[in-house]
Amino acid sequence: MLASAALVLLMTPGLAFFYGGMTRSKSVLNMMMMSMSALGLIGVLWVLFGYSMAFGNDVGLGLLGNPFEHLGLSGLFGGQYLEGDAGEAVSIPLVGTIPATVFAAFQAMFAIITVALISGAAADRLRFGPWLAFAGVWATVVYFPVAHWVFSFDGVTAETGGWIANNLAAIDFAGGTAVHINSGAAALALCLVLGKRRGWPREPMRPHNLTLVMLGSGLLWFGWFGFNAGSAVAADGVAGITFVNTLVATSAGMLGWLLTERIRDGKPTSLGAASGVVAGLVAITPSCSSVSPVGAIAVGAIAGIVCALAVGLKFRFGFDDSLDVVGVHLVGGMAGTLLVGLFATESTPAGVNGLFYGGGLDQLWRQAVGAFAVLIYSFVLSIVIAYIVKAIFGLRATDENEVGGMDESEHAESAYDFSTLRVGGGLGSSNRPIVTPGGTAREPQVTATTSKEG
């Protein structure tokens, strides 16, 4: 579980590479900072009260955990840590068979990556300070309660958990609703409040570095095994099937996206391959414990095709979802969650049959209620939070700063320093003797303070 938590943590730097490569070069650091800053902000909030809101005992109707029950993770780390000489059992608090602190750390990584995902819809125009304000409030009033709805099962971390997990009995093994539909709906709300980038969609705004995009997608795929298989909270058969399903669904998602590009545009692209990887990962996240490996291939392929088509919706409806968070995470999360109702089979750990396996519509309607409840809740609250932050701090960069690039205006930095190609750096010098006007050769003089940096 410690290794799985570390893998999920790696997904956030992977997302920073993925998003950073997709932006223009003048704003890549700002884009990467919005992902990386989630590590700092949400990590602190999670320990202070986020875990308690998500996994504390329910305060009513399955909507929220008690925010005061585990303030600062109190009650999760007291007890005997090592076995005594007599072999008595370790008495630290456990979640299942693992220490409660390990479970809290694992779930913290989910909160971090969910917030980071939202930022892709706001590339090139959202100021950094207001982003942190939005992210902190959003995590508190949206993510932490939704995590309680979806991930808090009765009798695990608390006596009473959330309504989706227990009363509705919708299947979301690793966060199709809590992570992807949740972040995708928030991304749609945020880009609507922000407005379009200057020049979009008339001007081409192509990714500035596709090698970073490919690197980021690889790191996301690698970390996602901790995301999905780690959600089994054990090294057992459940982890095994979720690992295999994550592998094959992602592979099929890539192929589905590339096939769509080949038919529609005539050429399969590296950006399409990377995006198909993410689409497959997103779709299999809720369903990896409930479908067979063949079903996982179907889920991934469908998601790759559907998401490849969905990313074009922003041009049709006029919302500037800069890096396709809505098209991949909202649509992919919805697809993966609803497809449980079709492809689930009782031979898997979830033990439920979907429509295609004789289960009728029972599981499908449960999946739909859970998916749309999270979508509506997240979208409405995100709109409200965005307008409040806009009224207090302002959200958007000035026209001048947007044109000049968010890296310089927000961070006083540039991702790529080409100054040494213009001045200094030794490009105009060599060790050849200097010939004076009189024809006398002498060695070049270098002062004691001269350096490569100088």
Side-chain angles (χ1 to χ4, degrees):
M1 287 307 300
L2 290 172
S4 292
L7 284 170
V8 182
L9 176 66
L10 185 64
M11 291 171 64
T12 298
L15 182 71
F17 281 120
F18 185 77
Y19 278 173
M22 290 179 70
T23 60
R24 291 175 287 179
S25 59
K26 62 184 179 180
S27 298
V28 55
L29 290 179
N30 177 253
M31 190 71 258
M32 296 181 80
M33 277 289 288
M34 286 197 279
S35 288
M36 296 300 290
S37 64
L39 285 163
L41 177 63
I42 307 305
V44 171
L45 296 183
W46 182 257
V47 167
L48 291 179
F49 55 82
Y51 176 84
S52 191
M53 292 178 67
F55 292 100
N57 201 45
D58 187 71
V59 296
L61 303 177
L63 297 177
L64 185 68
N66 184 347
F68 305 106
E69 185 175 352
H70 297 297
L71 281 176
L73 299 187
S74 60
L76 299 186
F77 54 85
Q80 180 179 331
Y81 285 80
L82 302 175
E83 290 186 4
D85 295 335
E88 61 269 23
V90 177
S91 60
I92 59 172
L94 300 177
V95 173
T97 60
I98 67 171
T101 48
V102 175
F103 181 77
F106 178 68
Q107 285 292 333
M109 309 312 177
F110 281 62
I112 290 166
I113 189 69
T114 304
V115 172
L117 287 170
I118 301 169
S119 63
D124 294 325
R125 61 204 189 279
L126 177 61
R127 292 167 50 224
F128 186 65
W131 157 250
L132 290 177
F134 175 87
V137 176
W138 187 87
T140 301
V141 302
V142 179
Y143 180 78
F144 298 157
V146 170
H148 179 74
W149 300 358
V150 176
F151 294 142
S152 183
F153 289 89
D154 292 347
V156 178
T157 61
E159 182 179 351
T160 307
W163 70 276
I164 290 179
N166 300 288
N167 304 110
L168 182 63
I171 296 172
D172 184 358
F173 189 73
T177 53
V179 176
H180 298 292
I181 294 175
N182 204 3
S183 62
L188 177 59
L190 184 58
C191 73
L192 289 175
V193 176
L194 269 175
K196 305 171 185 178
R197 288 168 291 179
R198 287 178 55 85
W200 187 89
R202 297 185 311 276
E203 299 176 11
M205 298 182 180
R206 293 185 292 269
H208 90 283
N209 193 328
L210 286 169
T211 55
L212 288 184
V213 176
M214 297 293 282
L215 172 63
S217 68
L219 290 173
L220 285 169
W221 196 345
F222 179 68
W224 223 289
F225 289 116
F227 199 79
N228 285 359
S231 293
V233 198
D236 58 11
V238 179
I241 187 63
T242 55
F243 193 107
V244 171
N245 283 347
T246 300
L247 170 65
V248 296
T250 309
S251 303
M254 181 202 296
L255 297 178
W257 194 299
L258 291 176
L259 178 63
T260 304
E261 281 191 327
R262 179 66 178 83
I263 295 172
R264 182 186 60 195
D265 307 322
K267 298 285 186 181
T269 67
S270 60
L271 179 60
S275 300
V277 163
V278 177
L281 290 167
V282 168
I284 199 59
T285 294
S287 57
C288 55
S289 70
S290 57
V291 299
S292 68
V294 174
I297 293 173
V299 168
I302 292 170
I305 295 168
V306 170
C307 291
L309 298 173
V311 294
L313 293 176
K314 62 184 180 182
F315 298 105
R316 173 168 296 185
F317 295 105
F319 60 92
D320 186 6
D321 173 24
S322 312
L323 308 184
D324 301 324
V325 186
V326 176
V328 174
H329 293 277
L330 177 56
V331 174
M334 289 292 293
T337 301
L338 295 176
L339 288 173
V340 171
L342 303 180
F343 289 100
T345 170
E346 64 181 7
S347 62
T348 58
V352 172
N353 279 329
L355 179 63
F356 294 165
Y357 288 82
L361 298 175
D362 182 65
Q363 194 61 43
L364 182 59
W365 77 260
R366 297 176 189 276
Q367 300 300 119
V369 170
F372 282 101
V374 172
L375 190 161
I376 294 169
Y377 179 81
S378 179
F379 180 76
V380 172
L381 268 292
S382 299
I383 285 275
V384 172
I385 295 167
Y387 273 117
I388 291 174
V389 173
K390 181 179 180 179
I392 298 174
F393 303 107
L395 281 174
R396 187 163 179 154
T398 64
D399 289 349
E400 180 182 1
N401 289 339
E402 186 178 337
V403 170
M406 302 298 292
D407 290 354
E408 290 286 353
S409 65
E410 293 297 307
H411 309 289
E413 295 176 305
S414 176
Y416 306 102
D417 185 0
F418 298 114
S419 62
T420 56
L421 297 179
R422 297 192 298 269
V423 296
L427 290 181
S429 64
S430 70
N431 291 324
R432 291 177 297 176
I434 298 173
V435 180
T436 65
T440 304
R442 62 180 177 82
E443 293 296 319
Q445 300 298 308
V446 181
T447 61
T449 58
T450 299
S451 67
K452 179 181 178 182
E453 289 76 16

